[in-house]
Structure formats: C-alpha cells, structure tokens
Amino acid sequence: MAKHQTSRIFVVGGTGAQGIPVVRGLVKDGKYKVRVLTRDANSRRAKELVALGNVELVEGTFASEADLRNGLRGCDGAFVNIDGFNSGEKTEIYWAIRSYELAIEEGIKFFVYGNLDYVYKKSGYDPKFRTGHYDGKGRIAEWILLQNKDNDKRMGAAIFTTGPYIEMSIAKATIFTPSIENGVVTWRVPVGDGAVVHVALDDCEHYVRWLFDHPERSNGMDLEVAIDHIHYADLAAAFEKVTGHQARYIDTDLDTYWKTGNTAGAADTGSAYNSDPKDPAFMTFRQNFSGFFNMWKYSGGNTGVIQRDYKLLDEIHPGRIRSAEEFFRREDARGRALGLGSLWERVQPKNLKPVLKLGEDRRQGRL
C-alpha cells in the first residue's frame, strides 16, 4: 500500500465542536493546509477557523454533489464528520457514502471519517440500544473499511470513533447539562451504574492529526477514543474535589427523565431537525436518546456494550486526558486564565455556555 501522504485536507464539519480542534491540530505547524466547507463563511465559527492560518473556506453544503466536488478538488486528504442532528440517520448514510465515493473520484489520497459506535450491532441488535445518530455513522464506518480493502491502492481510509464530549457535562443545552439544586451541582441522568466514554475535544486535535501523519499504520484502522469509562458518581466526585463545592449524581429512570429531565421538552420532537416526521425512518428525540442512555447504562467497567483500548490510546497520545478530575482541573485553570471565572462560577445557570453547534443550526433549519 502507498503511504498516502497528504498536504491539503478538505474538512466537512469543521465549524462543529469537534471540527474546530481538528482543524487547529492540522494547521498548527504549517504541515497541512485545510479547506473547510461551511454554509456561512461570515459566521463566528468560520472566522475563528480562518484566524488559525492556513485555512480557506468554501461555502456550500454536504448535501450537494457539486459542493462536495468543489471542496474536494485540489485536495489530497479529507476529514468528513457529518452532523447527524442536522441530517438525520437516513440522509447521513446517503451523503456519507457519496462523500467517500466522490473523494475517490476527485483523487483524494487519504480519507478519515468521523464516527460513533455502531451500538445496535455491538449490543447484538437489541432494540433497546437503537440510537439513530450513532448507528447511522457506525454502519458507514464498517462500509468504508470494507471498501478500503479494494480501494486502498487509490485512497487509504481510517475511522475516527468518538463519544459524548465531556464538555457537554458543563455546558448549556446538552443531554448532560447539570442543574444547581440547593447549592449542589447535580446531574440527573438515566445511566445507572454504567459509564460514559466521554471524549475531551482538545484530545481530538491530536488523534486526527496522528491519523493523517501515520497513514502507513492508520490505513484501515478504526481509532476508538475516550478519556475513560466515566461513571457519573465519579464525575460528580471529581467536580467536588476540584472546585470545593458540593456535587452529586442522581440516577433517574427513563420515564422520569422524559417527564422532568433537562431535555424533556424535546422528547417528542425529531431527533434530527431536518428529518421528516412523515418518513417511516423518523426517530423522536425520546426514541433516539433512550437508546443512547441504555448504551452507557450497560457499558460500565470497560466490559459492557461499548469498550475502548486504553493501552493503544496511551501509545498514540501519551499526553491525553485520562480522568474527569484531570479534565476539570485543566478546564478550571483555562477558564480562569481567559477571564471566564472558576468552574463553579461557569456552571451557574446564568453563566452556562453552549458547546454544540446544534442550537444555531436548528434555528437556521438548513442542511
């Protein structure tokens, strides 16, 4: 197999929460130039990327062959991470396949696909684990690796599998947003004694860069990353240790969560805002995230449904974040240095900030 070294990378999803550190990691030393597909070149996030240097923007949508070709042409690498909350499971599957095919057509040498665990398959096709925004990506990841066996002489490929960002546990309008109850930081989520494979966004910068830097090893690889399997009781204890303020995790059954939880108001809306309620493939927020919570409820101790190879991750990224406590310490110091206040101050309801791009995209309602 050829080494597939690349120098100019086309990025789909570059203005998303994960995309920003990925682009930052690619351009930080000038080795790579990056072209980012965006619907709005004048958006705050797009301008933030340009300010990094070695970044050019091309306006368009992932749901257009012409726009994808325009972005891919002249590049020799691609990183594609389609937002499933925008497109929905069914649409994402189609455009992810076309992204891969068009990348070969346009002469891309190395293709990295932003993925999530195929939990439905990993659970033995147990319906209580069906999670549309995970399964849609997971099916494509397996398809790409299968295609790669035939196509890797023309284009190498790797899969980058993440999980919920740990930043979501201290951010506004996420499935893990905490509340303050009688002065106690409280996470009420239905994950039982299970554990979440939280990912730190800053670590994504290193992992994706590694995939492009080492195609001789990463070609054909599914790099599944995480900080750790984090139990929410341990996450709350870590927050309390770092901040000196009381914190707790309260396990909540699914029925209660969908009646009183922090996303209860969205329960019967579409899990993807551009999906069609009349489409038989449509999933509600409740259906999608019931599977999501079950995934973590049955993944404790790195022995359940979702597992990770932490020895491999230590080798690839020796400086990676390894615990919730380490993340909270770094985040507390970062916030103070930026004038955002302590971590305790930042989780107060009036101070919570969004980390996901979902809010602004939902308002726009565009692919």
Side-chain angles (χ1 to χ4, degrees):
M1 185 208 75
K3 289 187 176 181
H4 298 306
Q5 292 292 346
T6 59
S7 60
R8 186 184 294 272
I9 298 171
F10 175 57
V11 174
V12 175
T15 59
Q18 182 185 135
I20 291 173
V22 165
V23 173
R24 183 174 66 232
L26 292 171
V27 303
K28 61 184 178 182
D29 58 1
K31 181 177 179 180
Y32 299 99
K33 294 181 179 180
V34 170
R35 178 183 294 158
V36 175
L37 182 69
T38 177
R39 291 186 299 275
D40 182 3
N42 293 310
S43 71
R44 176 188 61 80
R45 290 175 181 242
K47 290 178 179 178
E48 182 179 333
L49 291 177
V50 172
L52 294 172
N54 289 321
V55 174
E56 65 172 304
L57 304 176
V58 57
E59 286 195 330
T61 168
F62 64 80
S64 162
E65 291 198 7
D67 290 345
L68 288 172
R69 282 195 177 91
N70 186 41
L72 289 162
R73 192 159 296 152
C75 293
D76 46 21
F79 175 80
V80 175
N81 185 24
I82 293 174
D83 181 2
F85 291 118
N86 176 334
S87 61
E89 180 180 12
K90 188 174 178 181
T91 298
E92 179 175 7
I93 288 171
Y94 175 80
W95 286 109
I97 288 174
R98 288 301 289 140
S99 295
Y100 175 87
E101 294 171 338
L102 292 170
I104 293 181
E105 184 180 318
E106 291 295 336
I108 297 296
K109 300 302 181 185
F110 202 75
F111 184 98
V112 177
Y113 176 66
N115 184 46
L116 293 166
D117 292 88
Y118 190 179
V119 61
Y120 186 41
K121 180 179 180 180
K122 288 185 175 183
S123 71
Y125 301 98
D126 186 330
K128 72 172 174 284
F129 294 100
R130 266 286 284 127
T131 308
H133 74 288
Y134 269 61
D135 296 331
K137 286 186 179 296
R139 293 187 192 97
I140 294 301
E142 292 199 350
W143 180 85
I144 287 173
L145 292 180
L146 181 63
Q147 303 310 307
N148 193 50
K149 292 179 180 180
D150 294 327
N151 299 329
D152 78 331
K153 295 291 189 300
R154 292 183 63 183
M155 182 178 80
I159 306 302
F160 179 54
T161 301
T162 60
Y165 311 132
I166 195 169
E167 289 83 356
M168 293 166 61
S169 72
I170 53 170
K172 181 180 181 180
T174 81
I175 202 80
F176 293 112
T177 298
S179 58
I180 308 294
E181 301 178 14
N182 298 317
V184 181
V185 181
T186 304
W187 286 273
R188 293 180 179 268
V189 286
V191 295
D193 294 326
V196 181
V197 294
H198 272 309
V199 174
L201 286 169
D202 283 347
D203 283 344
C204 294
E205 172 182 331
H206 180 96
Y207 288 126
V208 173
R209 174 63 185 261
W210 184 89
L211 290 169
F212 281 104
D213 280 352
H214 300 88
E216 72 287 344
R217 184 174 177 192
S218 65
N219 183 53
M221 173 185 281
D222 182 355
L223 179 61
E224 299 178 321
V225 306
I227 293 172
D228 194 6
H229 278 64
I230 298 176
H231 297 260
Y232 256 70
D234 294 337
L235 181 138
F239 186 94
E240 184 168 315
K241 184 176 180 180
V242 170
T243 66
H245 292 272
Q246 284 187 293
R248 62 183 176 176
Y249 158 59
I250 298 177
D251 184 28
T252 307
D253 64 82
L254 281 169
D255 286 342
T256 300
Y257 179 84
W258 292 121
K259 290 176 183 176
T260 63
N262 62 318
T263 57
D268 297 318
T269 65
S271 62
Y273 53 86
N274 276 313
S275 56
D276 181 0
K278 296 179 181 179
D279 189 326
F282 179 82
M283 290 188 79
T284 66
F285 200 87
R286 184 201 310 263
Q287 290 170 327
N288 184 74
F289 280 97
S290 291
F292 174 87
F293 284 127
N294 281 330
M295 173 173 21
W296 309 124
K297 187 173 183 177
Y298 292 89
S299 291
N302 202 18
T303 59
V305 177
I306 304 300
Q307 300 182 23
R308 293 292 186 261
D309 182 349
Y310 292 109
K311 183 178 179 181
L312 173 65
L313 299 182
D314 288 343
E315 176 196 344
I316 290 174
H317 187 10
R320 72 182 185 86
I321 296 172
R322 290 177 168 82
S323 68
E325 181 181 340
E326 183 180 354
F327 169 77
F328 286 143
R329 289 197 184 281
R330 292 193 189 192
E331 193 62 21
D332 184 65
R334 186 187 75 86
R336 291 173 188 269
L338 293 174
L340 301 175
S342 69
L343 197 54
W344 163 252
E345 292 170 320
R346 289 165 57 200
V347 298
Q348 302 306 305
K350 66 179 181 179
N351 296 331
L352 282 170
K353 304 295 183 184
V355 66
L356 302 176
K357 191 166 173 280
L358 177 62
E360 61 197 68
D361 283 351
R362 183 181 293 274
R363 288 193 297 272
Q364 292 171 357
R366 294 184 291 160
L367 285 173

